[in-house]
Amino acid sequence: MADAAARPAGALPLAALMASLVSQNLGAAVAKSLFPVVGVEGMTALRVGLSALLLLAFWRPWRMPVARRDVANVVVYGAMLGGMNLCIYHAFGRIPIGIATAIETTGPLVVVLAASRRALDVAWVVLALAGLALLLPLTASQPLDPVGLLFAFGAAASWALYIVFGKRVSGLASGQAVSLGMLVAALFAVPIGIAHAGAAMRVPTTLLAGLGVALLSSAVPYSLEMAALRRMPRHVFGILVSATPAVGAACGAVVLGERLTAWQWLAIACIIGASAGGAATARRATVDVAGV
């Protein structure tokens, strides 16, 4: 009887995490469908700006003072969050979502493996590099847009720095770091979006769609991920999150009609394998590698 009760309990965090991955990547696909309306910059501004309002209203970070030593770290953390969103949306606009997401996940992989000194981790790096090599224009049978690839690598670098500086502000009160960080990201992204999209961002239907993207890509995944993390080991969480590129590719296929070649699927599988292997074999995590 105890085992029967434990199975449903163990299934709940798994279901929450999978729902989080689907929600986040579905939000990415919906956002990409809106690029022709408001552009990449406008869509980034809507997602980040509306997410900031939702998080500020929920967490009310002004209730607790921020120490002077934490201010600079919060600013960098928020700037990396804004840069990551802007880069990945530019990548989405030029290459399939699954491929862009696969490249982006190499950022957390580098951070996790950088904290380890074991020979086995070299194998995960080689596997990730093999996957990336299959995506490069020089080796791919159907070359991808090189600018899109550069933006995806920019998103990976931003995610890695986001993790590093996120760890530095993790001691702040619950929700304070992410809400203030998103506010900084909004101050960075919204003016750029307004400059590029202008009045198109104020159309009610566009605002409503932007709110849907903010909920799907930020508010809902954050809540589900926190629920999952409370009930499963961190390394298991990391292994499951490594499936993000595959979920992204599936959402891109269903919502946008994106189709990948066999070589591109192989590349994604290599990167997923490297991420899952790194999460499974890394020593006790010293950073949080959850996505945004």
Side-chain angles (χ1 to χ4, degrees):
M1 294 294 292
D3 290 340
R7 281 195 293 271
L12 287 176
L14 175 60
L17 184 55
M18 293 309 298
S20 168
L21 296 181
V22 171
S23 176
Q24 192 170 37
N25 286 283
L26 183 60
V30 173
K32 183 170 181 174
S33 71
L34 293 171
F35 287 171
V37 179
V38 292
V40 170
E41 294 83 4
M43 192 65 249
T44 304
L46 285 172
R47 175 191 168 175
V48 173
L50 292 171
S51 295
L53 291 176
L54 291 171
L55 289 169
L56 288 170
F58 183 79
W59 291 111
R60 292 177 288 172
W62 53 82
R63 293 179 298 174
M64 295 287 292
V66 178
R68 183 176 299 179
R69 65 178 181 276
D70 291 325
V71 172
N73 287 327
V74 168
V75 170
V76 178
Y77 166 76
M80 290 303 101
L81 179 58
M84 179 172 61
N85 279 276
L86 188 59
C87 283
I88 198 60
Y89 274 7
H90 269 295
F92 287 166
R94 292 171 170 83
I95 61 179
I97 288 175
I99 293 175
T101 305
I103 295 173
E104 185 188 27
T105 56
T106 60
L109 175 63
V110 168
V111 174
V112 170
L113 296 182
S116 178
R117 298 294 183 270
R118 291 178 300 173
L120 178 60
D121 295 321
V122 176
W124 307 130
V125 173
V126 171
L127 187 60
L129 291 175
L132 293 175
L134 291 173
L135 297 176
L136 294 178
L138 296 178
T139 59
S141 58
Q142 295 182 10
L144 298 166
D145 184 335
V147 176
L149 291 173
L150 286 175
F151 274 117
F153 281 111
S158 297
W159 195 354
L161 291 171
Y162 161 85
I163 291 170
V164 172
F165 283 91
K167 178 62 177 178
R168 295 183 183 181
V169 298
S170 61
L172 297 179
S174 180
Q176 191 176 34
V178 68
S179 54
L180 291 177
M182 193 66 80
L183 174 61
V184 173
L187 294 175
F188 163 75
V190 171
I192 296 175
I194 292 174
H196 282 81
M201 290 176 56
R202 299 196 299 269
V203 176
T205 53
T206 303
L207 283 171
L208 185 61
L211 179 60
V213 170
L215 288 168
L216 286 171
S217 299
S218 299
V220 172
Y222 289 159
S223 301
L224 291 173
E225 283 178 4
M226 288 301 103
L229 271 170
R230 283 195 295 268
R231 295 172 175 84
M232 70 169 55
R234 189 177 295 274
H235 73 281
V236 176
F237 179 89
I239 293 170
L240 295 174
V241 166
S242 67
T244 296
V247 178
C251 289
V254 172
V255 178
L256 303 170
E258 295 180 345
R259 296 291 183 268
L260 304 182
T261 66
W263 284 109
Q264 289 169 343
W265 274 112
L266 178 60
I268 289 175
C270 288
I271 295 171
I272 289 175
S275 298
T281 61
R283 289 180 179 144
R284 180 172 177 156
T286 57
V287 293
D288 186 357
V289 296
V292 297

